[in-house]
Amino acid sequence: MAEEANAAETSGDLNQDDLVMAQQRKIEQEIAATTALVGAVEDVTCLLDEYSSDPVYQQKVKHLSTKYQTLRRTRPDGNCFFRAFTFGYFESLIGDETEFNRFYKIAKDSKDELIALGFPKFTLEDFHDMYMEVLDKVRVAQSAADIEAVLSEPAYSDYVVVYMRLITSGHMQKNADFYVHFLDGHPTVKDFCALEVEPMYKESDHIHITCLTAAIGVGVRVEYMDRGGTEVNAHDFCPEGVTEPRVRLLYRPGHYDILYL
């Protein structure tokens, strides 16, 4: 009888897990069906409608609108930081040959560096080849619409997100002695990267932003909008040698969008 009860309990747990996973997949499918990977440019004040019954956020949006004119929304799927940062950065490369060439070399050399860290060569080459193909398209882009056309394609956009995650992981592992002091609940940097950085749909925190910006030498300003105070608060993630952010993002709890001056 005890064995039967234990079996039934185990079966119930498995069924519950299946239900949770099915519900999660349904939510993900609904988000994918209704929200673009990267949206069109909108006036910042469009957020007033979103918070029409929330005076705290209404005040925050009004303050944000004194600093920025427009924004692009990104899909809230856990990849929003990497997607928003990449889109904003690639936009900034239009017409800037010097910066493009600097980053292109970093991207090209990154494959061998990641392989040296132990990433599987066969899989990595596939993602790296697609990433470089996207950069070749960025090289000839004439407008933000050209970037949007490329990064709105899931086949391109998801490969780019994956590779940005790998670059972030590689930098963290290469500098493990430093980053290990900032991890909570993970025995090693490698474990943290395998569970929290490399997988798609994992949300990003300060450590992800710090590692990516340091890995590629690009600064980002994040405007934090939460329930504290009456104004949005800016924080710059600028690696050594970088004094100004090239990308500006809006953070609301659990999500990043792109901001424009």
Side-chain angles (χ1 to χ4, degrees), residues 141-207:
Q142 298 295 311
S143 68
D146 295 331
I147 304 296
E148 186 175 354
V150 175
L151 294 185
S152 292
E153 289 289 337
Y156 282 130
S157 191
D158 287 347
Y159 267 75
V160 167
V161 168
V162 167
Y163 202 75
M164 282 297 208
R165 286 182 175 275
L166 294 178
I167 289 174
T168 304
S169 175
H171 178 81
M172 191 180 295
Q173 292 185 55
K174 190 176 179 179
N175 299 276
D177 290 345
F178 173 76
Y179 287 110
V180 70
H181 301 294
F182 301 94
L183 305 184
D184 183 23
H186 296 274
T188 67
V189 167
K190 190 175 182 66
D191 289 334
F192 178 82
C193 289
L195 293 172
E196 303 294 339
V197 180
E198 295 165 22
M200 289 285 278
Y201 312 114
K202 279 289 187 176
E203 294 187 359
S204 301
D205 206 340
H206 282 198
I207 194 167

Side-chain angles (χ1 to χ4, degrees), residues 55-109:
V56 173
Y57 273 92
Q58 284 263 317
Q59 179 62 35
K60 293 291 186 77
V61 173
K62 290 176 182 176
H63 178 245
L64 184 69
S65 68
T66 66
K67 304 167 72 174
Y68 299 91
Q69 294 186 21
T70 55
L71 59 76
R72 283 185 191 267
R73 301 174 192 260
T74 63
R75 182 178 292 174
D77 60 0
N79 295 316
C80 55
F81 163 70
F82 286 98
R83 208 179 308 275
F85 176 87
T86 302
F87 192 101
Y89 178 53
F90 284 4
E91 274 187 309
S92 80
L93 295 177
I94 298 172
D96 191 339
E97 185 177 0
T98 300
E99 175 66 10
F100 178 88
N101 290 336
R102 185 196 69 84
F103 178 67
Y104 192 88
K105 185 178 187 308
I106 290 174
K108 185 177 180 180
D109 294 345

Side-chain angles (χ1 to χ4, degrees), residues 201-219:
Y201 312 114
K202 279 289 187 176
E203 294 187 359
S204 301
D205 206 340
H206 282 198
I207 194 167
H208 300 73
I209 304 175
T210 300
C211 284
L212 179 58
T213 54
I216 65 174
V218 176

Side-chain angles (χ1 to χ4, degrees), residues 5 17 19 21 97 110 134 156 196 222 261:
D17 288 344
L19 288 173
M21 291 177 66
E97 185 177 0
S110 64
V134 169
Y156 282 130
E196 303 294 339
V222 180
L261 297 172

